[in-house]
Amino acid sequence: MAKENSVPRFRVRELWLIIALTLGNSVGSSFAADEIQFNTDVLDIKDRDNYDLSLFSRAGYIMPGTYTLMVKINQQSLPEELPILFSAPVDDPKGSEPCLAPRLIAGLGLRESYLEKLSWNATNTAQQCLDLSTLEGWVIRPDLSTATLNLSVPQAYLEYNFKDWDPPARWDSGVSGVLFDYNTNATLTRRKSQSQEYRVSGNGTTGANLGAWRLRADWQLQMQHQTGTIESQRQLDWSRYYAYRTIPKLLARLTVGEGYLNSDIFDSFRFTGVSLNTEDQMLPPNLRGYAPEITGVANTNAIVTVRQQGRVLYQTQVAPGPFRIQDLSDTVNGQLDIEIEEQDGTIRKSVMNTSSIPYLTRPGLLRYKMTVGRPSNWQHHVNGPLFATGEFSWGVSNGWSLYGGGVGGSDYNALAVGIGRDLMSFGALSFDITQSHAQLPYGDTLTGGSYRLSYSKRFDDYDSQVTFAGYRFSERNFMSMSDYLDAREYGGRGRSSKEMYTISFNQQLVDLGVGLFLNYSHQGYWDTSTNDRYSLSLSTGFDIGRFKNLNLSLTGYRNQYNNTNDDGVYLSLSMPWGLSSTVSYSGSLSNGSQSNQVNYSERLDNADSYQVGVGNTRSGASVNGYYSHMGTLAQVNANASHQAGNYSSAGISLQGGLTATSEGAALHRISTMGGTRIMADTAGVAGVPIRGYGAGATTNAFGKVVIPDVNNYYRNSISVDLQNLGDNVEVTGGSIKQATLTEGAIGYRRFEIIVGEKAMAIIRLADGSAPPFGATVLTDKKMEAGVVGDDGTVYLSGIQPNGEMLVSWAGKEQCRLTFPAVLSPQILQSLLLPCR
């Protein structure tokens, strides 16, 4: 709700409401009507010859001119307000109709076949407008009292719509600008030997947006120094340069430059070239794909890093206990290297091979991915022959899908074909075969096959889900493109994959209030040791007397990597303490090392939380703390820990960015590097609270704020937080803005904000008379500040010392107001303003 004023305010919308009530039901859906003679006796006006009601002289009539209106199609608002021209039709000078311009029609999401049938004409201002006589079945109803143009369009004329998702016609590529996103971690550790280690690491993305194009460069930083040593490590790498853009008509993304092959069939490898891929993100949310999930257990405040072929995909600091990473990009696939670095310097590594659920496509839909280029390395040099890849998935019928693809080059070729079947109540199944042929540099020719079987099933009746996502068996002479490139680079063949399978199982025992999660993955090789990952988790919630909502979980795991085992058990018990606090106990046993920890955590508000804990390990007693702040300028995480007789450590991480456009610039927090964002502009007013997703943010000194991490191709909303708006600040337009943005876009939305004092005033013209009843008072930024009432009285907002406003009636500016240099309460109580 808008903030209430202490003095009632008479505004244009309220005036329209009076007129609407006066007319009763006489206003229909047409745009032309006979003139209405108003009985001005119902208006308490001292000078009945001095009023300006020309806007209301005809029922349903809107005076010629351009009005900024919110457009609604079938009760659904378009993302932004549009200027709508109203004019009289050629055959009806007393009528009134809106001009539906090409920009408006383009955003409605009409079917292509229907658009071709529409005809256009030109008004007396030569602006192209839609011929309204051709709109069979349409209903058009403007409503100035709510500043809305309502369109009712038969559903058969529209493209597919989904709740909170817009068709491609409404996608917004945003504004041009530059960005710099970063994620930095700094730690200082002092060990028992009195040596100190300083470490700074970071990664991020910098780039620019030019229309629909996104230019990007990824970077990563590593700095490390230990006292008592001479050498220090400092390294900054620009790991990738690339550009991409959305092609809405194809529901695809075009990428140029360096990248990693995005494939559901073949292994990923680095290349330089061009790719064109259909994107799941462009589909409605319920049709999109999935991203791999990474789980694990941290014994201390740890840094978790996920890499693929040496490139940092994800890095974050986590508190002690189990963690779950669910926000990786859905384009990630293949082998991931996972590293958990504890604060005592212990590093645990594991490998995960990700694969998708059965490759099924909806009936009649064709999905494809095409790439042409040359393999490249970290030094941005090509190191392999020209290649081309292509793959597809075709929904043959309801339940059957055919998919396949190929990789072609001078010395390496591979061909794959597969079939998927929705078995309905029996789950979903897919099977594919890949055959490779490789001519190695040292003369050998290897030909082999690889076979993959995938299965997924959710048992709703038993509240469980099983995923056997895949069994892949590869013959000894089968080579992926990555294997071939390694052999070409290093002169010999590396590890030869034999089999890989992953099984996950979820079970909810509702009657017992117990949840069970089991995960097992196996990676076998022809010529080296196997890697296995086991994980079993049990969780339950219960009450004990007056202690309610207790949660108990038990996790056991084994990571077998390069003939070494990392075994552990983790137990946790948590209990709510008050409205926003939690007390918990955790105990772990890992490779013979036992630890116990008691924690107290509290969420202070939507932006701040902290955790403190004490415990003991085999090395001695310990104490640690963790603080998180979701700020406007950055997300800040700070931690500190001390273990008696061993080490003391402190760390901080900053995650944020800088976005600059022609409209302004702002520092902000971020989580998806180079991702989509919205810049909100509050007309130069600082300190305005804006709500988006997660914690709110506040405009900077220039009236700008960036709301990060908005969804691609999804209707996003940002709004002014009216509950926390200052008493001298008022929103004159809509307090909610929407945007459906393409990937990587910088959206821009402006809020009409007035800041200043509020007071009742009397306006006098040069001859001592008053402006006509209904005249409007506008700020220097053309925002409405008040509407003149009887005898020149007006309630004004946004009064500034030495400020100016203009008074308008009869469709044009008539005179200006100038305010005193000092606005004391006494002056504001009796404000007489000459209008010159």
Side-chain angles (χ1 to χ4, degrees):
M1 296 181 61
K3 189 175 289 295
E4 295 184 356
N5 299 320
S6 58
V7 180
R9 185 178 178 192
F10 191 49
R11 304 187 56 170
V12 165
R13 291 184 178 178
E14 284 75 7
L15 182 59
W16 270 107
L17 181 59
I18 292 174
I19 301 304
L21 292 174
T22 304
L23 294 176
N25 295 324
S26 63
V27 179
S29 60
S30 65
F31 299 108
D34 294 333
E35 291 190 4
I36 300 296
Q37 297 297 323
F38 289 105
N39 180 8
T40 58
D41 291 338
V42 303
L43 298 176
D44 184 15
I45 305 176
K46 293 181 179 179
D47 185 359
R48 298 193 180 279
D49 295 326
N50 187 25
Y51 56 84
D52 180 22
L53 296 181
S54 60
L55 291 175
F56 320 113
S57 61
R58 295 184 183 96
Y61 179 79
I62 297 177
M63 285 188 63
T66 300
Y67 301 82
T68 300
L69 304 176
M70 175 62 70
V71 179
K72 286 188 176 182
I73 176 170
N74 297 347
Q75 301 301 315
Q76 188 178 89
S77 299
L78 295 190
E80 59 180 325
E81 297 174 336
L82 295 173
I84 309 296
L85 172 67
F86 283 82
S87 60
V90 176
D91 57 350
D92 185 8
K94 293 185 178 182
S96 172
E97 68 179 18
C99 172
L100 304 186
R103 178 186 175 190
L104 187 155
I105 296 299
L108 297 182
L110 299 174
R111 293 182 183 274
E112 199 73 36
S113 58
Y114 180 72
L115 282 172
E116 296 173 354
K117 301 177 182 179
L118 301 179
S119 60
W120 300 84
N121 53 38
T123 67
N124 53 9
T125 60
Q127 179 174 339
Q128 192 177 33
C129 303
L130 192 65
D131 184 356
L132 301 184
S133 64
T134 64
L135 302 181
E136 182 179 353
W138 286 47
V139 177
I140 304 174
R141 184 172 58 84
D143 185 357
L144 287 189
S145 66
T146 59
T148 304
L149 178 66
N150 295 288
L151 305 178
S152 178
V153 182
Q155 196 65 38
Y157 301 159
L158 299 173
E159 294 180 352
Y160 176 81
N161 279 275
F162 186 79
K163 181 182 179 182
D164 295 330
W165 181 86
D166 288 320
R170 301 181 199 168
W171 294 352
D172 184 357
S173 293
V175 298
S176 297
V178 297
L179 56 89
F180 177 79
D181 296 343
Y182 63 89
N183 173 29
T184 59
N185 293 272
T187 58
L188 169 62
T189 304
R190 184 171 185 175
R191 306 194 184 281
K192 183 179 179 179
S193 60
Q194 300 301 311
S195 66
Q196 293 188 136
E197 180 183 69
Y198 306 86
R199 179 181 175 185
V200 177
S201 61
N203 65 290
T205 298
T206 187
N209 287 8
L210 300 174
W213 281 99
R214 318 285 182 247
L215 312 179
R216 298 289 187 265
D218 297 340
W219 58 271
Q220 55 192 56
L221 170 70
Q222 189 77 21
M223 299 175 59
Q224 190 170 354
H225 175 73
Q226 186 171 350
T227 58
T229 62
I230 300 176
E231 296 184 358
S232 295
Q233 179 183 353
R234 296 179 182 178
Q235 185 174 357
L236 173 63
D237 294 314
W238 291 92
S239 58
R240 187 161 63 127
Y241 303 102
Y242 57 104
Y244 67 92
R245 64 158 297 163
T246 295
I247 304 180
K249 288 189 176 181
L250 301 179
L251 294 179
R253 186 176 102 156
L254 176 67
T255 305
V256 180
E258 298 174 315
Y260 292 81
L261 184 68
N262 176 18
S263 172
D264 295 291
I265 301 175
F266 305 106
D267 287 352
S268 179
F269 59 91
R270 183 185 174 100
F271 72 95
T272 300
V274 181
S275 63
L276 179 67
N277 300 339
T278 54
E279 289 287 332
D280 283 346
Q281 287 190 356
M282 298 183 189
L283 298 172
N286 61 332
L287 303 182
R288 297 178 183 176
Y290 90 111
E293 178 179 283
I294 296 175
T295 60
V297 176
N299 297 323
T300 63
N301 292 315
I303 297 177
V304 179
T305 305
V306 181
R307 293 185 177 90
Q308 186 175 52
Q309 298 182 357
R311 181 171 69 101
V312 175
L313 298 179
Y314 188 94
Q315 187 180 68
T316 188
Q317 293 190 21
V318 297
F323 62 84
R324 175 175 291 183
I325 297 173
Q326 297 175 296
D327 52 348
L328 290 178
S329 169
D330 59 2
T331 62
V332 171
N333 62 83
Q335 180 173 301
L336 303 179
D337 299 309
I338 304 165
E339 179 182 282
I340 304 173
E341 182 175 356
E342 307 285 357
Q343 283 197 319
D344 61 0
T346 302
I347 297 177
R348 289 179 287 143
K349 297 182 178 181
S350 61
V351 174
M352 170 184 286
N353 283 274
T354 67
S355 57
S356 65
I357 58 177
Y359 197 178
L360 298 178
T361 301
R362 290 176 177 266
L365 183 65
L366 178 67
R367 299 164 58 195
Y368 59 87
K369 298 178 181 180
M370 298 181 291
T371 301
V372 177
R374 296 184 65 181
S376 59
N377 57 26
W378 269 77
Q379 288 73 38
H380 312 289
H381 300 145
V382 294
N383 62 349
L386 181 70
F387 73 91
T389 72
E391 63 183 80
F392 73 95
S393 177
W394 174 40
V396 180
S397 64
N398 189 22
W400 286 97
S401 292
L402 179 67
Y403 62 94
V407 179
S410 58
D411 294 325
Y412 178 85
N413 295 276
L415 184 66
V417 63
I419 192 167
R421 171 62 178 169
D422 184 357
L423 301 175
M424 304 299 177
S425 59
F426 296 100
L429 182 73
S430 67
F431 175 73
D432 58 74
I433 302 174
T434 303
Q435 190 76 13
S436 71
H437 177 84
Q439 180 69 46
L440 300 180
Y442 42 83
D444 290 349
T445 299
L446 299 180
T447 301
S450 181
Y451 313 90
R452 180 175 63 170
L453 178 70
S454 299
Y455 175 76
S456 179
K457 166 63 179 172
R458 176 171 178 81
F459 301 92
D460 293 321
D461 294 339
Y462 303 99
D463 294 307
S464 61
Q465 177 172 334
V466 60
T467 301
F468 183 35
Y471 177 76
R472 176 185 282 275
F473 175 81
S474 301
E475 296 175 351
R476 181 183 289 271
N477 288 338
F478 173 80
M479 294 189 76
S480 67
M481 184 67 163
S482 298
D483 295 334
Y484 165 74
L485 293 174
D486 288 343
R488 179 185 171 90
E489 178 76 14
Y490 304 110
R493 190 175 182 184
R495 294 189 299 180
S496 177
S497 177
K498 180 179 181 181
E499 61 182 355
M500 184 274 286
Y501 49 87
T502 300
I503 301 173
S504 64
F505 178 76
N506 283 282
Q507 176 69 60
Q508 298 294 324
L509 303 174
V510 179
D511 294 338
L512 299 177
V514 174
L516 181 147
F517 175 75
L518 171 67
N519 180 269
Y520 170 64
S521 63
H522 168 82
Q523 176 72 67
Y525 301 92
W526 284 101
D527 47 11
T528 187
S529 59
T530 61
N531 296 329
D532 293 278
R533 291 167 54 91
Y534 310 82
S535 176
L536 174 64
S537 298
L538 294 169
S539 62
T540 184
F542 57 93
D543 301 332
I544 299 179
R546 65 185 185 90
F547 298 103
K548 307 295 183 181
N549 300 321
L550 280 75
N551 288 284
L552 176 68
S553 67
L554 176 65
T555 300
Y557 64 90
R558 162 171 283 189
N559 296 329
Q560 188 177 40
Y561 181 68
N562 288 344
N563 290 323
T564 61
N565 292 335
D566 176 20
D567 300 328
V569 177
Y570 187 88
L571 173 69
S572 70
L573 174 65
S574 64
M575 177 181 66
W577 192 269
L579 296 177
S580 59
S581 304
T582 302
V583 176
S584 63
Y585 162 80
S586 61
S588 65
L589 179 64
S590 176
N591 293 327
S593 177
Q594 182 181 357
S595 66
N596 297 278
Q597 180 97 1
V598 176
N599 294 319
Y600 174 82
S601 61
E602 182 176 3
R603 175 165 290 280
L604 302 176
D605 49 40
N606 288 335
D608 297 271
S609 62
Y610 71 92
Q611 175 180 300
V612 292
V614 294
N616 72 289
T617 65
R618 183 172 60 181
S619 302
S622 65
V623 59
N624 63 76
Y626 186 88
Y627 183 85
S628 177
H629 172 67
M630 296 281 287
T632 295
L633 304 182
Q635 178 178 341
V636 183
N637 297 319
N639 64 80
S641 61
H642 171 76
Q643 189 173 77
N646 195 356
Y647 71 90
S648 296
S649 179
I652 188 171
S653 68
L654 299 175
Q655 195 163 323
L658 169 66
T659 300
T661 71
S662 60
E663 303 293 342
L667 294 167
H668 53 86
R669 63 176 182 269
I670 198 77
S671 63
T672 303
M673 301 297 160
T676 312
R677 64 208 64 193
I678 299 177
M679 175 177 286
D681 185 345
T682 55
V685 180
V688 177
I690 302 294
R691 291 187 299 183
Y693 298 88
T698 304
T699 56
N700 60 19
F702 306 100
K704 307 294 189 296
V705 66
V706 172
I707 305 300
D709 305 323
V710 299
N711 294 313
N712 307 324
Y713 314 105
Y714 198 91
R715 195 177 310 126
N716 301 277
S717 296
I718 61 173
S719 62
V720 177
D721 186 356
L722 299 176
Q723 298 298 325
N724 295 309
L725 200 62
D727 292 335
N728 65 336
V729 181
E730 184 173 347
V731 184
T732 62
S735 62
I736 300 176
K737 303 291 182 181
Q738 294 183 332
T740 302
L741 299 170
T742 58
E743 183 178 357
I746 303 173
Y748 175 79
R749 291 295 181 266
R750 179 183 172 90
F751 293 94
E752 299 300 331
I753 304 290
I754 292 180
V755 61
E757 301 295 335
K758 303 173 184 179
M760 184 66 76
I762 298 176
I763 301 176
R764 286 290 179 261
L765 302 177
D767 60 0
S769 64
F773 178 86
T776 57
V777 182
L778 304 175
T779 68
D780 56 354
K781 297 180 180 179
K782 307 300 183 182
M783 291 185 287
E784 180 194 324
V787 178
V788 177
D790 186 19
D791 196 26
T793 60
V794 60
Y795 184 73
L796 294 176
S797 296
I799 301 173
Q800 298 279 1
N802 288 324
E804 289 189 350
M805 293 185 184
L806 60 90
V807 181
S808 174
W809 68 87
K812 63 180 180 179
E813 176 187 339
Q814 302 288 349
C815 57
R816 286 183 172 267
L817 306 175
T818 301
F819 295 96
V822 178
L823 298 175
S824 65
Q826 293 77 13
I827 293 177
L828 292 175
Q829 286 178 0
S830 57
L831 197 58
L832 179 64
L833 299 175
C835 193
R836 299 184 176 89

